[in-house]
């Protein structure tokens, strides 16, 4: 059954990791650099996420130093539905944004991978991380829209859906990646305006023009 987009949406802003980008290769590379098997790292990450703890504690649990740097994002790391979805939003005449908790340099990597949104920003560039309200204030400012006219798409409740909703935005929760699957079991997932299995569902809604108020001007 096709989704129905919230009325009055004039812009869509996407999270990065596990929304647009499959981070499996990046985590595997970090595990190998730390001298630990990827399976061990993935298992501990899942445990931390399930307990609602900071996933970055994984290195402390392993008793190793966090590897310096991380694998650059390449086109092969993108989920297959990512670029088509952003193109569909753009072709609908809406503001397209990408903003997530990411390190320095990710903007250039994402553009090289094929993204060309109206704005693209990282927590490193802004100097503020999700779920801080200041991060979502910056999203609103960059989009140039009222908060209620922005749909924020992400795979986490704690970093994406709940703080974006608190900022007055509409939200779409995508169930993929470890956070997406674990957080989908929580009652707060029902607070999202849209619950997606893939970005292809959002693409179909854009192409079909489902809902109202989907174009600018």
């Amino acid at each position: 059954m096709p989704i129905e987009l919230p009325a009055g949406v004039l812009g869509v802003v996407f999270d990065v990791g596990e929304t647009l980008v499959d981070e499996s290769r990046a985590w595997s590379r970090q595990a190998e650099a730390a001298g630990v098997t990827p399976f061990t790292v993935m298992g501990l990450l899942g445990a931390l996420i399930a307990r609602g703890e900071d996933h970055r504690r994984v290195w402390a649990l392993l008793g190793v130093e966090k590897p310096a740097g991380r694998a650059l994002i390449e086109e092969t790391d993108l989920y297959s539905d990512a670029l088509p979805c952003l193109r569909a939003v753009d072709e609908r005449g809406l503001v397209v944004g990408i903003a997530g908790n990411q390190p320095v340099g990710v903007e250039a990597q994402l553009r090289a991978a094929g993204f060309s949104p109206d704005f693209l920003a990282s927590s490193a560039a802004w100097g503020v991380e999700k779920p801080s309200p200041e991060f979502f204030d910056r999203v609103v400012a960059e989009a140039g829209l009222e908060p209620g006219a922005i749909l924020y798409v992400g795979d986490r409740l704690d970093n994406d859906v709940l703080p974006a909703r608190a900022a007055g935005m509409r939200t779409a929760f995508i169930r993929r990646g470890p956070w997406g699957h674990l957080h989908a079991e929580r009652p707060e997932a029902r607070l999202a305006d849209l619950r997606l299995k893939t970005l292809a569902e959002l693409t179909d809604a854009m192409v079909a023009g489902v809902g109202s108020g989907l174009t600018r001007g």
Side-chain angles (χ1 to χ4, degrees):
M1 186 174 181
I3 64 169
E4 184 172 349
L5 292 159
V9 169
L10 300 177
V12 184
V13 181
F14 298 83
D15 171 47
V16 180
E18 296 309 319
T19 298
L20 302 176
V21 176
D22 177 354
E23 296 183 314
S24 300
R25 186 178 65 86
W27 279 108
S28 295
R29 287 282 184 87
Q30 286 205 303
E32 292 163 2
V36 183
T37 66
F39 182 69
T40 301
V41 170
M42 303 301 183
L44 289 177
L45 283 172
L48 289 168
I49 294 165
R51 297 202 301 249
E53 298 182 36
D54 190 334
H55 68 285
R56 290 170 291 192
R57 285 194 59 234
V58 67
W59 309 114
L61 286 179
L62 289 165
V64 300
E65 290 290 327
K66 178 183 176 181
R70 56 184 289 173
L72 300 180
I73 295 171
E74 300 175 358
E75 187 174 355
T76 54
D77 297 316
L78 306 184
Y79 279 106
S80 61
D81 54 12
L83 286 170
C85 186
L86 268 73
R87 282 196 294 267
V89 176
D90 179 62
E91 289 169 2
R92 195 68 196 168
L94 307 186
V95 172
V96 184
I98 299 175
N101 284 352
Q102 294 290 320
V104 173
V106 75
E107 293 90 345
Q109 294 169 39
L110 289 171
R111 291 191 187 280
F115 292 110
S116 54
D118 293 304
F119 71 90
L120 201 171
S122 65
S123 55
W126 281 350
V128 62
E129 290 188 345
K130 294 184 294 183
S132 168
E134 288 77 18
F135 182 96
F136 293 93
D137 288 344
R138 288 295 301 265
V139 170
V140 172
E142 292 289 335
L145 300 168
E146 292 297 317
I150 300 169
L151 178 71
Y152 191 83
V153 185
D155 65 302
R156 295 178 60 165
L157 295 178
D158 56 351
N159 266 16
D160 300 320
V161 172
L162 298 181
R165 186 173 183 270
M169 299 180 196
R170 314 308 290 267
T171 60
F173 172 63
I174 184 165
R175 182 177 183 169
R176 67 176 170 203
W179 285 273
H181 283 88
L182 289 167
H183 286 189
E185 302 301 314
R186 299 180 181 178
E188 297 98 319
R190 293 193 293 269
L191 295 174
D193 294 281
L194 303 176
R195 293 187 292 280
L196 310 171
K197 292 180 180 178
T198 70
L199 291 179
E201 294 173 281
L202 187 56
T203 299
D204 290 344
M206 290 291 170
V207 172
V210 177
S212 60
L214 294 179
T215 55
R216 283 185 279 180

